[in-house]
Each structure stands twice: as structure tokens, then as C-alpha cells.
Amino acid sequence: MSATQLLGVFLAAILTENYILCKFFGICPFLGVSKKLDTALGMSAAVTFVMVLATAVTWPIYTYVLLPNGMDYLQTLVFILVIAGLVQLVEIILKKYMHRLYAALGIYLPLITTNCAVLGVTMLVLDKGAQDSSFGYAASLVNAFGAGIGFLVAMVMFAGVRERLEAADIPQSLKGLPITLVAASLVACSFLGFGGIVDGLL
Amino acid sequence: MSEQKPLYREFTKGIIKENPVLCLVLGTCPTLAVTTGVKSALGMGAAATIVLVCSNSVISLLRRVIPERVRIPCYITVIAAFVTVVQMLVKAYAPSLDKALGVYLPLIVVNCIILGRAEMFASKHPVLPSALDGLGMGVGFTAALVLMGTIREVLGAGSWFGLRLPLAGSHPILIFLMPPGGFFVFGMLMAAANRLNTRSRRHTPESGCAACPMNEACAKAHEKKECT
Amino acid sequence: MKKHSERSVFRVLSPVAALLCVCTVSAALLAGASEITREPINEAQRQTQLASMMAVLPPETADCEKMSIPDSSAECFRAVDRDGKTIAYAVSSSAGGYGGRISVMTGIGTDGCVLAVSVYDNSTETPGLGAKTSEPEFTSQFAVNKAVPGFCVTKDAPVNDGFETIDAVTGATISSRAVASCVTHAVEVYKQATEENDE
């Protein structure tokens, strides 16, 4: 794949295939952690990091171990355990050697094991690879990184929207999550406008 | 005899009082993603129910065997195994459903309803109540999905279960099928559930996030408490 | 003292052993389930493909035979009637749509005319927009009674000289374009396949 195509994959992952607003992955952290800008940033950084790392590990496992041996039915099981193990490992390493990073991302890491965005990205890049043989390891990693950045963009945008919601006068039964979801609906509307933009740009 | 009543309640509580989607706000990802039609909503609900009942039963059976420290990885393994079995069955006997659900089918593994019930209920109760709890939660989940699917399909496609409706069919409101419509309908349904709960003064259970490892950092749990 | 250390070893090992047991049993269960469902899954996939092939081939078709073609991204089948005479070809091809891949089966007559088109997988397209590309109102446009080099949506007509134009589904230009490029690809594959067999 050429650099332009990789750029296309990256941009598409952020804009047209936004994991939260178009594919509904990771709605839990999206609603839960987006109340403040700093927590939104921390969570997205942790998710991006784990997404790239998980794809970097699961892609070779699937392509070189599971698939040639006809064990692709173990995909879900192996992937979720690998991701869980990886998150634990990263947490231990950060705790021991990188205190400042751990202080910033530490509390978000254990949350990510059961985040469907991470498992989703590892499976979707393999789907894409199966349909299009030029979509290899590099493209998968770029796609995972783009998905993480897309997650970040959606979270940060939404944190801004939610700060405004705090001050608004809202009907009793809409208070809390319902109005948040309506706001999310409007933010998702804005992402509908990106349809086809990546093909047009490149 | 005193055992009898709670046993049936384990089943019914999941359907309305502790409905996993509308009251406990769990499993939001599939709720939004596969409810563009009643068919796929029903399929997702059924698949998740089967996994819930099976995983709840097995985890309840193993609750004395599994050591405390590795319980979450064990639960995830059990759940992943059942999800894969269900996925294979769907592929073999309902290939069109497999296409409609796509990647959301294997993602049942990370549906917090299932891990949440394993941690909160099945690990502390005997097999029969656990299986019933799973069934109730599954039926509640399915009911919420079908409700969402009905609203979105009728308004967005002018059909129900693939059948074209006479009046709504002429000018469907497409946006209900698209992501923004999903968020909007979900928000409105939750507002309605809130309203019903406050009106009947029914005790609203605390957010089901207790089992979620995200509980600490998550504002959802606190928010839920504030508004009820 | 010794007892204490034994106990701590046990404390470390027992969770590991338990996890290992659960994993092994699960993996074994899955291996069994996969063994049982493999045949039905293959059968289901064959049925889906067969159904989409029959939808685009003439009703006299008695048998289909896969042809070997150099192009790996498409599949070409020769349809024969009861006497073994070639009556049509079916080509399955795919292209990137709005949400993912769109797979299309194209029936082509022995004279090179497109007979019928069936969009058999557009599950990733937006329901109500891109998903409408599988409806007959759209796909019937491809059945023109002449051999053409390819198809394109009306919007792209100026840059595709000689191509047959089709009206895109309203609001779903990208999905419609993808289907058109699938059919164009199918026509090319058909030409390759028949030329090779003539030699």
C-alpha cells in the first residue's frame, strides 16, 4: 500500500468510520468519561495506545498461528484473553518504570479490557484484510491508530458539548443521560457530512 | 415454599424493574448498532439471551472452584466460548442474520450485561436462580432492543419485520436508521422510562455499573443517582 | 516454615491451574463445536451463492461449473443447460461501498450482454439508502440488451466514455457507484475468461 492509501485509511478511520459516532463502539466510556475534558483526553489516549498495541499483537497471532492451523474459531477467545493480558502487562510496566504516564493513564487502563472498541478494531482490520489482500499489517496498524484518534476527536468534541449542557435548563425527565444521548445524536449528525470526503480528498 | 416466590422473581425483575438497557444502562453498543430493524434486533437479543443463560449457569456451577484472583479472566473465557458457539450456530443455520449482525455478534463477549450478571449474580447464587436471572435479563434486553428496532424501522424504513406498512411506507424518515437516529430514540426511550419510574414512585435501582471495572472513573453512575 | 512456603506456592499455582483448566476445556468445546458446524456453514455459504447465481441466470440452467481465471478478486461460473451447452456466465465481484464491501453477482449471456444483476451482500450499507441498491428498481437498469464495455452512474458519465449510464439511488451515489464498478469488473472478467477458453 502506498503512503497516500495509508493516509486514506487513517482519515477514513477518523471521519467516515468513526468508531463511536458511526459504529457505536465504546459507547460506555463515551457517555461515562466525557464529562470533563481532561478525563476524556486521558481515556482516549489510553484507548488509542491499547488499540494499536492490541492490533500489533493479535494481527500476527491470527495470520500466522490461528489461520494456517485452521483454528480461526478460537479468534474471539484468544483475542479477548490477549487484550486482557496485554492491558495487565502495560499497567505493570507503566507502574514500575513510567510513573508520570501511569499517573495520567493508570486509572483508565483496567477499564479498557472490556471495551468493545478495542476488540472491535482487532476484528474489523482482519475482516478488511480478508476482503482486500493489499490491506496488510501496516494498513491494519494505521487503521487502529486512526480509530483511536477518531475516538479522541469524538470524546473531546463531546466533552465541549457537555460542558454547555451543564448550564442548560432541561426538563426533569430528560435530565442526565437522556439529554446527553440527544446531544450525541446531534454530534453524530455532523459526522454524517463526512461521507465520501476521503475518496474525494485523495 | 418460601423459596418459590423469589425464584420466579429472579426471572421477572430483569424485564421491567431492572431492565438492563433502559434502567441499568448496560449493553448500549449493540442497543444502538443493531436496532435498525426488528429482525436483527430480535436476532441479537436471542443470541445474547442464550449466552447469558449458558454463561450464568456454568459460572454459577464453577463459583466454588474458581479462585477469587482469576475470576474475571475465567468468566471472560467461559463467555467467549459460548459466544463463539452461538456465532458458529448462527453462521450455519441463519447466515443472513450473521451478515446483518456482522462484527457485533462476536462483540457480545464484551457486552457488560453478561459480565455484569456473572460478577453480580451468578458468582453468588446457585444454578437455577442464576439461569433464571440470565433468562430474565436476556428477555428484558431483547424486549428493549425490539422496542428500539420497532420505532426505528417503522419511522425510518416504513416497515416492520421487513413488511412494508401501508401509511408510514410512503415517506420514511431515513435519519432514524442512521446513527443520529439511534442516539435520539435511545435518549427518548430513557426519558420515558425515567418519567414512568418517577410517576409510580417505584424504587429505581442504582446503576448497574457496580460490576463494571469502570465504575470509579465513570460519571454515568453518579449522574443516574442525581437524576432519580 | 516449610508448610508456609508450600501454601504460598499453592496459592500462586492454583489460580493459574484453574485458569488453564477453564481455557483448555473452552478450547476443546470450541474445537468440537467447530467440527460439528463446519459442514452446515459451508453448505449455507454454498446455498447463498447458488441462490444468488440462480437469480441472475436463465431458468434453463441445469448446472454451474467454476472456471479458473487469473483474477483472484472475482469468481466466474459457466452455466450449462441439460444438454451440456453453455448458455450463460455468472461472475461474482466486489468493490468498496460506503460502509464496507459490496458483493455483486452478474449474469452475462454468451453474446456478452448483461442479463441480470443481484447485489447479494450489502449488509454494511446504510439501511434505506445504500441498502436500496439491492432492490430491482436499481438493479434492473443493468439489463441492457447490448454488449457494453462497462457501467457508470450518470454523474460520472463525462469521464467514462462509452459506458452505459445508470441512475444512482437517491442519496447513495457511493453505493451505486460501487455496484456499477462491480458489474464493469464482471464484464471484464467475463471477457478474459471467454477469450482464454477460445484459445
Side-chain angles (χ1 to χ4, degrees), chain B:
Chain B
M1 276 313 276
S2 60
E3 282 289 294
Q4 218 54 0
K5 207 174 168 191
L7 210 57
Y8 116 93
R9 282 220 176 130
E10 302 301 355
F11 172 65
T12 52
K13 70 167 190 252
I15 299 174
I16 296 170
K17 215 171 110 200
E18 290 180 30
N19 187 293
V21 178
L22 296 175
C23 297
L24 304 181
V25 207
L26 294 171
T28 41
C29 302
T31 309
L32 291 164
V34 301
T35 51
T36 51
V38 178
K39 232 182 246 177
S40 52
L42 197 63
M44 172 54 105
T49 308
I50 297 172
V51 174
L52 249 172
V53 173
C54 295
S55 67
N56 256 13
S57 314
V58 169
I59 286 165
S60 164
L61 269 178
L62 295 177
R63 69 186 188 280
R64 292 189 211 287
V65 187
I66 294 175
E68 178 77 11
R69 282 167 62 199
V70 289
R71 68 185 196 288
I72 299 281
C74 285
Y75 297 164
I76 293 179
T77 312
V78 170
I79 295 167
F82 282 118
V83 168
T84 314
V85 170
V86 168
Q87 192 188 359
M88 286 190 240
L89 290 176
V90 170
K91 263 197 183 131
Y93 301 106
S96 62
L97 184 63
D98 177 62
K99 283 242 171 77
L101 296 180
V103 74
Y104 296 99
L105 192 54
L107 284 184
I108 296 177
V109 177
V110 284
N111 188 328
C112 20
I113 297 177
I114 296 169
L115 192 60
R117 289 330 283 178
E119 168 81 357
M120 282 170 78
F121 198 93
S123 58
K124 294 170 194 135
H125 293 82
V127 179
L128 195 55
S130 298
L132 281 175
D133 172 82
L135 188 64
M137 285 289 160
V139 171
F141 180 60
T142 314
L145 284 187
V146 169
L147 183 63
M148 280 263 304
T150 304
I151 296 175
R152 290 180 72 186
E153 199 182 336
V154 168
L155 292 176
S159 60
W160 192 80
F161 215 87
L163 302 166
R164 201 155 275 271
L165 296 176
L167 263 177
S170 54
H171 291 96
I173 314 164
L174 275 180
I175 191 122
F176 277 101
L177 292 182
M178 290 192 255
F183 283 114
F184 185 77
V185 172
F186 192 32
M188 286 299 142
L189 277 182
M190 251 160 61
N194 269 357
R195 180 109 184 110
L196 285 177
N197 274 340
T198 41
R199 207 180 244 179
S200 63
R201 300 263 163 89
R202 197 184 274 147
H203 159 73
T204 323
E206 280 174 20
S207 184
C209 296
C212 178
M214 274 175 45
N215 202 12
E216 246 169 77
C218 181
K220 208 161 75 180
H222 308 289
E223 202 161 83
K224 189 80 184 164
K225 266 180 222 160
E226 275 166 29
C227 71
T228 45

Side-chain angles (χ1 to χ4, degrees), chain C residues 4-157:
Chain C
H4 177 77
S5 71
E6 253 173 26
R7 215 175 256 168
S8 72
V9 165
F10 180 74
R11 271 219 329 251
V12 172
L13 280 184
S14 78
V16 176
L19 187 57
L20 216 62
C21 279
V22 172
C23 286
T24 321
V25 171
S26 304
L29 181 80
L30 286 185
S34 128
E35 207 51 50
I36 294 167
T37 52
R38 179 170 298 149
E39 207 29 59
I41 288 177
N42 288 341
E43 183 59 30
Q45 278 167 353
R46 253 202 311 278
Q47 286 300 330
T48 325
Q49 202 177 37
L50 202 66
S52 64
M53 270 195 308
M54 289 321 283
V56 298
L57 289 173
E60 306 89 81
T61 307
D63 197 13
C64 291
E65 170 202 335
K66 194 174 169 183
M67 300 165 73
S68 62
I69 45 167
D71 192 337
S72 60
S73 64
E75 279 179 325
C76 186
F77 302 87
R78 190 197 351 249
V80 292
D81 67 2
R82 220 168 276 155
D83 308 325
K85 203 178 112 215
T86 307
I87 48 170
Y89 296 85
V91 182
S92 87
S93 50
S94 68
Y98 185 77
R101 301 298 284 185
I102 294 184
S103 303
V104 174
M105 184 69 79
T106 310
I108 301 176
T110 44
D111 52 354
C113 295
V114 172
L115 299 171
V117 164
S118 142
V119 179
Y120 68 93
D121 183 9
N122 61 357
S123 53
T124 51
E125 300 308 291
T126 322
L129 288 174
K132 273 194 175 164
T133 48
S134 59
E135 288 177 9
E137 287 101 66
F138 176 73
T139 54
S140 62
Q141 296 181 75
F142 290 98
V144 286
N145 268 322
K146 56 182 179 197
V148 286
F151 294 85
C152 62
V153 293
T154 320
K155 230 185 226 174
D156 302 337

Side-chain angles (χ1 to χ4, degrees), chain A residues 21 23-28 32 35 73 76-77 80-81 111 114 116 119 123 162 173-174 176-178 181 184-185 189, chain B residues 28-29 32-33 76-77 80 84 104 107 109-110 115 179-180 183-184 186-187 190-191 194-195 213-214 218-220 223:
Chain A
L21 296 169
K23 290 196 190 289
F24 302 118
F25 289 153
I27 299 291
C28 271
K35 217 171 180 181
Y73 55 87
T76 315
L77 188 71
I80 187 86
L81 288 177
L111 328 180
T114 53
C116 52
L119 187 62
M123 288 180 166
R162 283 189 87 167
S173 28
L174 277 171
L177 275 179
L181 282 163
S185 155
C189 264
Chain B
T28 41
C29 302
L32 291 164
I76 293 179
T77 312
T84 314
Y104 296 99
L107 284 184
V109 177
V110 284
L115 192 60
F183 283 114
F184 185 77
F186 192 32
M190 251 160 61
N194 269 357
R195 180 109 184 110
M214 274 175 45
C218 181
K220 208 161 75 180
E223 202 161 83

